[in-house]
Amino acid sequence: MPISKPRRAIIQDFLKEKQIHASEWHCCDTTFTSITEIAIHVNQHHQADIDTRETKKREEKQEKENNLYLLKQRRGKKGSSDPIATECQCQLEDSKVILFYRYALVEDPVKFALDHQSYCANMTGKVRIAGEGINATLAGSNQDMDAYLNWLTTTQPFQDDALNDLRQPINLRLDEPSTARYKFFKPSQGCTHVFSELSIKLVDEICPLGQTTVVLDKLQKPDHGHGKLSPSDFHAILSKRHQDDFILLDTRNYYESKIGHFEGAIQPPIRKFSQFPDYVERNKDAMRGKTILTYCTGGIRCEKATAFMRQALPDEEIFMLDGGIHNYMEWWKHKDIESEDPVWQGKNYVFDARQSLGLQEDSIVSQCQMCQQPWDKYKKCGSAGCHLLVLCCDACCASDQPVYCCDDCRHGQQNGLCACERERRHREMQQLQV
């Protein structure tokens, strides 16, 4: 009976363990001088050992497949979506929320994800892990957060000399913005209730652009890093926007940019990041000959957006705001300049129950879609299967009554796409005007 390939590999490993020289093997107090002799010996006296090893290998393989299946399952029930409001009585000074990403080779994504399940067991949030890196936003107690960061910064994906400062085991504090950990992990005030659960998933991309040409090697090239602007440099350029000829492009989704954006930004009406390349391709002619500045929430989308745009528009200068809106807002809070106004307007949308963060609570750039009064708090469309976000003020929408994004949803007549989504897709197909 022929030996299976996995069993043959196990036998070969067994023989290597017994080999003491190029042509000598030692087993059961006997020295063998040919591969044939040791092979016969193993076949006659060690079948039980080989069977045990084969069973263990098979169990390990099955366990890995089970883990892989669980780590790739969708996070919630089909048709569900994240909460956009929460009420709790937590002492916020006892906990925090972090937001970070890292594009780096992850040699064993499954193990990295399983380790996260252990180290993040008391936290809530979302962790996405792929061969290209990690993307995470987590909420937890100060103690759990510090223990997690002390572990994370020693793992393989963080073994880079440029990250030595991150490995200093200091506590992450909201009042110490100058530390390396603060700048990298972008902490903000919040508790575990801003997320409904802990979700750790294995994915193909930590930020799904859907472009196979935008790979890790390109994101790690020096010229890509040189295209990153500090918040102060970004602010200086935008402060002179009426003098200089450039395009400012928001790479986020339409519902994010609707409640907050940089002054003068073009806001593509896209619903998910994977639609961004099509938007660029349709509007390349309008972008040619321009310097292009991009921004997103924390920088992760701009990393891929600028890499893709450099392929689509190789002759143009393309830059991104390093660390995204979050870093700009942090820089503005702690800057020395007092005489200027921020070029950021409104709120920064965040993907948790806090919904948004702002420099000023009264800075509102969006309107209630019913009465057109200033408003920036979203509610979810009450139609089953439609999770579009609706800007509806408390005066127009009773708290105990469902809100609908359009009459199609109100009357249950979506037929696949409701009027709001059809309008968005129509706007998405329109050409950019600059």
Side-chain angles (χ1 to χ4, degrees):
M1 185 176 183
I3 302 175
S4 68
K5 188 175 180 180
R7 188 177 181 87
R8 187 181 300 115
I10 291 170
I11 293 172
Q12 289 172 347
D13 288 341
F14 189 91
L15 293 174
K16 287 178 183 177
E17 292 173 10
K18 305 301 179 181
Q19 190 170 14
I20 54 177
H21 294 296
S23 57
E24 280 189 27
W25 294 259
H26 191 79
C27 186
C28 299
D29 297 325
T30 304
T31 299
F32 302 88
T33 57
S34 76
I35 188 67
T36 302
E37 289 177 356
I38 184 66
I40 292 172
H41 171 78
V42 170
N43 185 55
Q44 292 177 343
H45 301 284
H46 292 284
Q47 287 301 308
D49 294 330
I50 301 301
D51 289 343
T52 300
R53 293 188 180 203
E54 187 175 23
T55 299
K56 184 179 179 181
K57 282 283 187 183
R58 192 161 49 242
E59 290 174 349
E60 289 174 350
K61 181 181 179 183
Q62 186 61 52
E63 182 182 10
K64 187 171 184 177
E65 288 176 353
N66 291 342
N67 288 332
L68 195 61
Y69 172 75
L70 292 173
L71 289 168
K72 286 195 170 185
Q73 278 189 318
R74 67 176 295 120
R75 183 165 49 89
K77 295 180 180 179
K78 190 172 183 179
S80 64
S81 62
D82 296 319
I84 57 172
T86 187
E87 293 183 7
C88 70
Q89 303 301 318
C90 293
Q91 298 296 317
L92 295 183
E93 64 270 15
D94 296 334
S95 59
K96 60 177 67 74
V97 179
I98 60 171
L99 168 71
F100 73 95
Y101 72 93
R102 175 157 170 75
Y103 283 111
L105 175 66
V106 179
E107 294 176 354
D108 191 342
V110 174
K111 183 180 184 304
F112 197 39
L114 293 174
D115 287 343
H116 268 77
Q117 288 184 338
S118 298
Y119 282 93
C120 302
N122 297 326
M123 301 185 196
T124 59
K126 307 170 191 175
V127 180
R128 300 294 177 259
I129 293 170
E132 68 175 10
I134 178 173
N135 178 19
T137 175
L138 289 162
S141 70
N142 295 333
Q143 183 178 359
D144 287 335
M145 194 68 72
D146 290 330
Y148 166 70
L149 296 184
N150 288 341
W151 164 76
L152 178 70
T153 52
T154 64
T155 60
Q156 173 267 315
F158 284 78
Q159 293 305 305
D160 186 327
D161 290 343
L163 302 179
N164 283 339
D165 288 346
L166 289 184
R167 286 188 279 279
Q168 300 298 321
I170 62 171
N171 295 340
L172 181 63
R173 295 171 55 93
L174 294 179
D175 58 356
E176 294 182 349
S178 62
T179 65
R181 283 195 175 183
Y182 188 101
K183 293 175 181 177
F184 186 89
F185 291 105
K186 306 181 187 72
S188 57
Q189 192 174 73
C191 68
T192 55
H193 295 104
V194 304
F195 298 102
S196 60
E197 60 183 350
L198 174 66
S199 168
I200 299 171
K201 283 182 63 177
L202 279 179
V203 293
D204 295 327
E205 296 181 83
I206 58 173
C207 184
L209 184 65
Q211 296 292 313
T212 56
T213 56
V214 180
V215 294
L216 184 59
D217 285 349
K218 291 191 176 181
L219 298 176
Q220 293 179 323
K221 284 185 175 179
D223 62 338
H224 181 70
H226 294 159
K228 296 181 179 181
L229 297 173
S230 67
S232 58
D233 289 342
F234 191 81
H235 175 86
I237 294 172
L238 264 59
S239 296
K240 299 188 301 180
R241 68 167 292 100
H242 302 296
Q243 304 171 32
D244 299 333
D245 187 18
F246 63 84
I247 289 176
L248 178 60
L249 189 58
D250 194 322
T251 67
R252 301 173 301 157
N253 302 320
Y254 77 94
Y255 55 85
E256 298 173 75
S257 60
K258 195 170 187 177
I259 65 169
H261 47 260
F262 282 103
E263 180 185 355
I266 293 169
Q267 304 156 41
I270 59 176
R271 192 176 181 184
K272 53 186 179 180
F273 188 48
S274 58
Q275 295 170 339
F276 183 77
D278 288 338
Y279 179 85
V280 172
E281 289 291 345
R282 286 196 306 272
N283 292 285
K284 284 196 297 187
D285 288 343
M287 297 182 188
R288 286 197 172 94
K290 306 279 188 180
T291 296
I292 302 171
L293 275 61
T294 69
Y295 67 90
C296 61
T297 306
I300 187 170
R301 280 178 279 188
C302 279
E303 293 268 9
K304 285 193 171 181
T306 53
F308 172 77
M309 292 177 73
R310 289 188 182 109
Q311 295 173 183
L313 297 158
D315 297 327
E316 276 62 52
E317 288 189 299
I318 301 170
F319 302 92
M320 64 170 277
L321 171 59
D322 193 15
I325 301 163
H326 181 97
N327 272 12
Y328 179 86
M329 291 171 62
E330 287 298 313
W331 168 77
W332 184 263
K333 291 175 188 176
H334 301 97
K335 66 175 182 22
D336 296 327
I337 305 171
E338 298 293 342
S339 59
E340 295 187 59
D341 293 324
V343 288
W344 172 256
Q345 303 173 328
K347 305 289 171 44
N348 182 23
Y349 186 94
V350 292
F351 291 88
D352 60 56
R354 295 173 300 173
Q355 196 177 130
S356 65
L357 301 172
L359 290 172
Q360 299 174 329
E361 281 303 312
D362 60 353
S363 176
I364 300 175
V365 296
S366 48
Q367 300 173 330
C368 169
Q369 70 178 52
M370 308 296 180
C371 66
Q372 314 308 312
Q373 292 301 307
W375 189 256
D376 61 4
K377 297 291 189 295
Y378 277 117
K379 296 179 174 65
K380 290 182 183 178
C381 179
S383 177
C386 179
H387 299 295
L388 291 181
L389 296 174
V390 184
L391 286 170
C392 183
C393 71
D394 293 338
C396 292
C397 308
S399 59
D400 59 345
Q401 295 296 317
V403 178
Y404 298 97
C405 65
C406 63
D407 286 340
D408 283 356
C409 283
R410 186 182 304 278
H411 302 299
Q413 299 174 345
Q414 298 100 318
N415 294 322
L417 294 177
C418 69
C420 277
E421 181 63 4
R422 289 198 302 271
E423 171 62 20
R424 184 199 65 77
R425 294 194 180 192
H426 173 71
R427 287 187 290 110
E428 183 187 336
M429 295 303 294
Q430 292 178 331
Q431 296 300 303
L432 172 65
Q433 299 294 321
V434 294

